[in-house]
Amino acid sequence: WYFDLTQSLLQKWLREVYNINIFISSKTIENKTIFIPHGRTIPDTIKNRLVVDIIPYSTHNTYEQAIEEALVEALNLI
């Protein structure tokens, strides 16, 4: 429980302070669900908002593993 709260706070902090949005998608393949981490940064620009994917494509067996990888990658950027 505490770990999930900490991850949520870190996710919110990255979004609010650094414009890095972390999210997880899931896909079911052969009756098995995999979780795919994504991290995007949206730099503030006047003419357009550039979206840059910061997480290399990878898959995980659990949501927790996927979010952990995304958060670590995001922290490495800053």
Side-chain angles (χ1 to χ4, degrees), residues 19-69:
N19 291 324
I20 297 174
N21 187 25
I22 303 295
F23 58 99
I24 307 300
S25 64
S26 62
K27 186 183 293 188
T28 302
I29 301 174
E30 297 177 4
N31 293 331
K32 182 178 178 182
T33 302
I34 59 171
F35 298 89
I36 306 156
H38 303 278
R40 298 219 169 115
T41 180
I42 306 173
D44 291 328
T45 59
I46 295 172
K47 293 185 179 183
N48 62 1
R49 294 176 74 78
L50 176 65
V51 177
V52 179
D53 201 352
I54 62 168
I55 307 295
Y57 182 79
S58 64
T59 62
H60 298 276
N61 294 326
T62 68
Y63 175 88
E64 291 78 13
Q65 291 171 339
I67 193 78
E68 184 72 17
E69 180 193 18

